[in-house]
Amino acid sequence: RSVWLKDPELFQNVSEGLRRLYRTKLFPLEDTYRFHDFHSPALEDADFDNKPMVLLVGQYSTGKTTFIRHLMEQDFPGMRIGPEPTTDSFIAVMYGEQDGVIPGNALVVDPKKPFRKLNAFGNAFLNRFMCAQMPNPVLESISIIDTPGILSGEKQRISRGYDFAAVLEWFAERVDRIILLFDAHKLDISDEFSEVIRALKNHEDKMRVVLNKADQISTQQLMRVYGALMWSLGKIINTPEVVRVYIGSFWAQPLLVPDNRKLFEAEEQDLFLDIQSLPRNAALRKLNDLIKRARLAKVQAYIISSLKKEMPSMFGKDTKKKELIANLGEIYHKIEKEHQISPGDFPNLAKMQEQLNGQDFSKFAVLKPKLLEAVEDMLANDIARLMAMVRQEEAAMPSQSVKGGAFEGTMTGPFGHGYGEGASEGIDELEWVVGRDKPTYDEIFYTLSPINGKVSGGAAKKEMLKSKLPNTVLGKIWKLADVDKDGLLDDEEFALANHLIKVKLEGHELPPTLPEHLVPPSKRGTVA
């Protein structure tokens, strides 16, 4: 038995647990097999403690910066908006007591911020990186990363002076949500954008797509654009699942083509709920990312130690190195079979071959089973215990969600989504809303031969079945309409049942309990 398995780790909370597991079990394996040279820098304490982050990626002029402004309902320091490529920097928009901008070189030496390892991308990048701090309530629970607009053509890619896709990949590994923005008005996916999306391909679970500026085109055009977008994304992302697309106009200006107002409201509501859930799911996301990282670190250990094993001790090292790099695919295959590892866990073959060229194979480490056992134990036991803690922590703070900015005022009041529609129709009227169509319902009611002013369940059922709604729905409608629970419907209750059928047929949801404004006037005050 290995020393690592002596007794289970005890943790105060999830982020402290993740930090300890990383430091004691995963880091030694990464360090030994040069994981940080090949894949991703070591994790820092700030990576485990930081707030959920949202990364915005898109071609220039798709409305990324405006989207951030829309969420916070406030300008942020260093913000520039325009039709030409204006944001040429990575801007981390974070909470701070005072408004201000921290330049990249200062950011990467701040131990409280999760950006220290960006140092590796060099000066060309650091001059294009900054943090905008401001006391905005939205930023109390999330941070947002604005990125330079992606350009088209080879020229711009070369003139950036740093590896744009690699920087984005670094962020993608550490953020909780990646939002890809597209402009419905001019939907073209440039080569650089395709390359960027491919670089993010291990993080599809974090990806959401926003089709912005959708109010600038007609419904028919919008359907075509949406179809074209899904088709293009399908070719680039290459997953069996369809990525979630939110359609709308994400800024506070009047809609140019207001036909799809309802759709845009529903979509914005869904996107807001998705972003609002991030703080609650942050610990789970960090846990998930650590598992992904551990699996890659294991594969890295097998690759490096296999290469070391094949190296001659004295002569012909260079020739052997070239031969091993050329045959890396076969080495992958051998490791896959020997250790039962899925092909999807292996790093990109061409990229790995390129990186291996600059390495001295004789300095590689041999396979150390103890280090691998530690990581296996972490994945098999510690992670399961942390998982249970995640659930407990979530239950202890259910109210954790993003507040402030555009997240306020969308749920309640007359402009809340669905207000005054469906079952909410007539909510602020003095008259009983069902009364409007009651004469029509009464005519049907009296054809059903009521006894003592009431119709039986059987008679009502025959009539209600004409709606062709399923029994489960009609059963719920009956429960809501039989206000006095006597198993019979009087004329008001019958009218209410028909009103609820109409609500359902118009595509709205039924309320779980009967709202106050739908209770028949004669039953008000008597309903328990």
Side-chain angles (χ1 to χ4, degrees):
R1 300 283 288 166
S2 152
V3 297
W4 291 105
L5 309 182
K6 53 185 187 302
D7 54 15
E9 297 271 1
L10 295 169
F11 307 118
Q12 300 301 311
N13 57 43
V14 176
S15 60
E16 186 253 353
L18 288 170
R19 189 186 308 120
R20 285 235 318 260
L21 284 179
Y22 177 70
R23 281 274 148 234
T24 57
K25 297 189 174 181
L26 184 53
F27 179 78
L29 182 77
E30 290 184 356
D31 196 37
T32 308
Y33 298 103
R34 311 209 171 183
F35 184 90
H36 311 132
D37 298 343
F38 283 84
H39 304 294
S40 153
L43 295 177
E44 302 257 318
D45 286 355
D47 288 317
F48 298 102
D49 298 327
N50 65 330
K51 290 173 188 155
M53 292 197 284
V54 177
L55 177 70
L56 287 179
V57 183
Q59 292 178 185
Y60 71 90
S61 197
T62 44
K64 292 188 298 297
T65 308
T66 309
F67 180 82
I68 298 176
R69 198 202 165 300
H70 177 57
L71 288 187
M72 304 196 308
E73 293 183 342
Q74 192 182 348
D75 290 352
F76 57 87
M79 174 177 113
R80 283 161 62 212
I81 293 173
E84 75 287 5
T86 41
T87 305
D88 62 347
S89 304
F90 281 80
I91 305 177
V93 187
M94 303 180 91
Y95 187 83
E97 293 302 329
Q98 244 69 52
D99 277 26
V101 169
I102 306 168
N105 283 295
L107 261 183
V108 294
V109 291
D110 183 349
K112 289 194 180 68
K113 297 259 190 307
F115 304 124
R116 282 167 49 139
K117 290 290 191 275
L118 281 168
N119 210 2
F121 291 106
N123 248 344
F125 165 70
L126 293 180
N127 293 333
R128 293 259 170 271
F129 177 45
M130 61 186 197
C131 172
Q133 284 194 322
M134 55 194 291
N136 182 290
V138 172
L139 299 175
E140 286 182 34
S141 35
I142 58 171
S143 301
I144 306 170
I145 314 284
D146 193 9
T147 60
I150 292 168
L151 305 154
S152 34
E154 187 71 12
K155 179 171 65 66
Q156 285 89 344
R157 206 184 67 187
I158 294 163
S159 66
R160 283 200 197 273
Y162 59 90
D163 189 339
F164 182 66
V167 173
L168 273 181
E169 203 174 344
W170 185 94
F171 275 110
E173 250 180 54
R174 287 158 179 78
V175 300
D176 298 70
R177 188 63 78 238
I178 301 165
I179 296 180
L180 300 178
L181 267 109
F182 292 90
D183 181 344
H185 203 232
K186 47 173 196 340
L187 184 69
D188 61 323
I189 302 180
S190 69
D191 296 347
E192 193 183 19
F193 200 8
S194 302
E195 190 188 320
V196 161
I197 298 172
R198 284 196 190 96
L200 306 177
K201 89 170 179 48
N202 293 330
H203 307 284
E204 288 101 346
D205 52 329
K206 299 178 181 180
M207 246 184 237
R208 301 289 182 272
V209 171
V210 168
L211 186 57
N212 200 9
K213 306 190 184 184
D215 64 320
Q216 297 184 9
I217 55 177
S218 68
T219 307
Q220 193 180 9
Q221 283 174 306
L222 181 57
M223 286 183 71
R224 291 202 177 123
V225 167
Y226 179 76
L229 173 65
M230 296 309 275
W231 185 77
S232 309
L233 285 175
K235 286 198 337 192
I236 304 169
I237 297 181
N238 222 349
T239 59
E241 300 84 30
V242 176
V243 64
R244 175 69 164 99
V245 176
Y246 299 91
I247 304 167
S249 167
F250 294 92
W251 66 339
Q253 300 298 321
L255 300 175
L256 284 178
V257 181
D259 310 2
N260 298 311
R261 183 186 193 107
K262 266 207 164 87
L263 168 71
F264 299 162
E265 281 173 8
E267 293 282 287
E268 183 169 280
Q269 205 58 51
D270 287 355
L271 179 60
F272 282 2
L273 286 172
D274 184 66
I275 295 173
Q276 282 180 305
S277 70
L278 294 179
R280 218 174 36 247
N281 301 327
L284 196 56
R285 193 274 307 165
K286 286 174 183 155
L287 191 63
N288 200 16
D289 282 355
L290 194 72
I291 296 169
K292 272 194 221 168
R293 195 178 168 102
R295 287 167 65 153
L296 182 57
K298 271 169 54 186
V299 174
Q300 173 75 8
Y302 288 131
I303 295 170
I304 295 295
S305 55
S306 298
L307 294 172
K308 171 71 175 176
K309 203 166 104 187
E310 298 293 328
M311 284 301 280
S313 53
M314 296 291 283
F315 305 110
K317 286 184 184 179
D318 274 358
T319 322
K320 188 66 178 169
K321 175 178 165 176
K322 285 195 183 81
E323 182 194 315
L324 287 171
I325 292 175
N327 295 335
L328 190 61
E330 286 168 34
I331 295 170
Y332 273 18
H333 199 62
K334 202 170 131 195
I335 294 170
E336 201 182 303
K337 286 253 184 309
E338 202 176 317
H339 301 285
Q340 284 88 48
I341 292 168
S342 109
D345 283 357
F346 283 82
N348 177 298
L349 185 66
K351 195 174 165 196
M352 193 71 177
Q353 285 170 318
E354 192 186 316
Q355 286 172 313
L356 284 168
N357 271 322
Q359 295 280 344
D360 179 352
F361 284 22
S362 58
K363 291 208 167 75
F364 283 174
V366 294
L367 195 65
K368 298 182 179 169
K370 270 204 177 127
L371 290 176
L372 277 156
E373 276 172 34
V375 173
E376 288 293 354
D377 177 48
M378 175 183 104
L379 290 170
N381 303 312
D382 299 317
I383 294 286
R385 273 200 309 283
L386 273 182
M387 194 76 196
M389 275 183 80
V390 166
R391 293 279 166 252
Q392 287 164 0
E393 278 189 14
E394 275 178 11
M397 46 186 190
S399 65
Q400 243 202 334
S401 79
V402 182
K403 294 192 169 35
F407 297 99
E408 298 297 323
T410 49
M411 300 302 235
T412 53
F415 293 98
H417 180 57
Y419 182 90
E421 295 165 15
S424 309
E425 190 188 345
I427 193 165
D428 43 15
E429 291 174 23
L430 294 172
E431 297 290 316
W432 186 41
V433 66
V434 182
R436 282 184 213 158
D437 297 320
K438 190 167 180 290
T440 318
Y441 302 143
D442 279 353
E443 281 175 26
I444 304 166
F445 179 75
Y446 288 110
T447 63
L448 301 176
S449 323
I451 299 162
N452 298 331
K454 298 194 175 198
V455 296
S456 68
K461 178 180 177 181
K462 260 194 199 127
E463 187 54 43
M464 288 166 73
L465 280 171
K466 289 179 185 169
S467 67
K468 298 191 173 63
L469 285 169
N471 280 354
T472 47
V473 175
L474 291 172
K476 191 172 178 190
I477 289 174
W478 173 274
K479 226 164 110 182
L480 292 169
D482 184 11
V483 181
D484 53 15
K485 309 278 177 267
D486 63 353
L488 304 162
L489 298 183
D490 63 19
D491 60 331
E492 287 184 334
E493 291 173 328
F494 182 75
L496 174 59
N498 278 286
H499 179 75
L500 291 170
I501 286 173
K502 187 178 89 160
V503 163
K504 193 65 193 164
L505 289 175
E506 285 173 356
H508 301 287
E509 288 306 317
L510 292 171
T513 56
L514 195 64
E516 194 60 39
H517 70 281
L518 288 184
V519 176
S522 65
K523 308 275 192 301
R524 290 186 188 171
T526 61
V527 184

